[in-house]
Amino acid sequence: MTSSYAQLGFRVGFDWGPVGAAAVPGSLVAVVDVLSFTTAVTVAVDLGIDVYPYRWRDETAIPYAEQLDAVLAVGRSQPGVTLSPASIRQAKGVRRLVLPSPNGSTISQQLSDSGSTVLAVSLRNRLAAADWVARKLADDPSLTVVAVAAGERWSDGSLRPAVEDLWGAGGLLTALVDRGVGPLSPEARAAAAAYREVAGELPELLHECAGGRELTAYGFADDVTVAGEVDISGLVPVLQGGRINESSKPPRFCPVT
């Protein structure tokens, strides 16, 4: 029986978190984690750094990074390269980066394992991503695209819908509409409407939303500023490589134009 949640019959879909990503199938899936995974990825690829997503920074992450001859991002409060986009921008000599994240990175790995083509989208590269997706859909009428807002987690582990991710996904979806891509599911239309409502007030509202205020309170206001660099990046990070448990080439985000 077909799931009611799959948004079938629409070429463009939208949902939240890892469960939503599994529920709404898409040939192309745009993962959106504005504060901060996908923003960090776009900053890294702008600098020519390959990014290897990893679910958790646990005891397995260190040998994984060593195997790749890569830098392992440390906790945000530690010195060095972290999930903080500002720290990546300041890094010197980094060519490969293992970037753990419980939200955006986890969803990216999950989708890569399922066979979808995964791209990292933030406010910084929404227009470039829309151009890339629109070309792919024009070349192959059978393809569909889904934007997945990663969201955050409450203390009990449940999904906390993060408005910055709604805006990031809606920014991509609005740009797709402008390029004649559709039809959009009702869920995708709602996300696009959310972006249109605030587009003229970004990046200011990014500092005022809960996620922006939280990072600022922890001393990472610069990361919110970087996330608010709307439409500044012309690259689209696409997750390339085989499945981690079936290939010697782990999935990594590499830039395409």
Side-chain angles (χ1 to χ4, degrees), residues 28-32 38 108 117-121 129-130 132-133 145 172 236-239 253:
L28 311 175
V29 184
V31 176
V32 185
T38 56
S108 297
T117 297
V118 182
L119 52 153
V121 176
W132 188 85
V133 169
V145 60
L172 168 68
V236 184
V238 175
L239 195 56
F253 279 106

Side-chain angles (χ1 to χ4, degrees), residues 22-257:
V24 186
S27 314
L28 311 175
V29 184
V31 176
V32 185
D33 188 350
V34 170
L35 295 175
S36 297
F37 176 74
T38 56
T39 293
V41 172
T42 62
V43 169
V45 298
D46 282 349
L47 296 171
I49 300 171
D50 285 354
V51 177
Y52 294 79
Y54 207 68
R55 285 179 170 86
W56 300 101
R57 196 184 186 284
D58 57 15
E59 66 277 0
T60 67
I62 294 175
Y64 179 75
E66 290 174 346
Q67 165 197 337
L68 297 170
D69 191 23
V71 172
L72 173 62
V74 297
R76 209 175 201 134
S77 61
Q78 297 176 257
V81 182
T82 74
L83 188 60
S84 158
S87 77
I88 295 172
R89 186 168 280 172
Q90 295 165 4
K92 305 296 182 184
V94 177
R95 308 314 307 165
R96 301 182 187 90
L97 177 64
V98 173
L99 194 60
S101 159
N103 299 307
S105 187
T106 297
I107 295 169
S108 297
Q109 279 202 325
Q110 167 189 316
L111 290 167
S112 177
D113 290 350
S114 74
S116 296
T117 297
V118 182
L119 52 153
V121 176
S122 68
L123 291 168
R124 299 181 75 253
N125 72 329
R126 68 176 190 100
L127 293 182
D131 287 338
W132 188 85
V133 169
R135 288 196 300 270
K136 291 290 185 182
L137 296 182
D139 290 343
D140 187 345
S142 71
L143 297 182
T144 58
V145 60
V146 176
V148 175
E152 299 293 338
R153 296 287 163 183
W154 290 112
S155 58
D156 66 356
S158 61
L159 176 71
R160 178 178 72 80
V163 71
E164 65 271 14
D165 295 343
L166 178 64
W167 293 338
L172 168 68
L173 298 171
T174 299
L176 288 175
V177 171
D178 292 342
R179 286 152 180 75
V181 176
L184 275 65
S185 70
E187 291 82 0
R189 290 177 62 182
Y195 177 80
R196 287 192 291 267
E197 173 66 21
V198 301
E201 299 176 73
L202 294 174
E204 292 80 11
L205 284 182
L206 200 59
H207 287 270
E208 295 300 327
C209 71
R213 290 185 173 190
E214 179 183 40
L215 281 182
T216 299
Y218 288 140
F220 298 104
D222 286 349
D223 288 341
V224 186
T225 299
V226 175
E229 294 173 345
V230 181
D231 302 335
I232 198 172
S233 176
L235 296 180
V236 184
V238 175
L239 195 56
Q240 298 176 340
R243 293 176 61 175
I244 287 176
N245 60 347
E246 293 183 4
S247 172
S248 61
K249 295 183 178 180
R252 69 198 187 281
F253 279 106
C254 295
V256 299
T257 55

Side-chain angles (χ1 to χ4, degrees), residues 8-29:
L8 300 180
F10 298 97
R11 203 168 192 200
V12 183
F14 167 80
D15 218 301
W16 285 95
V19 177
V24 186
S27 314
L28 311 175
V29 184

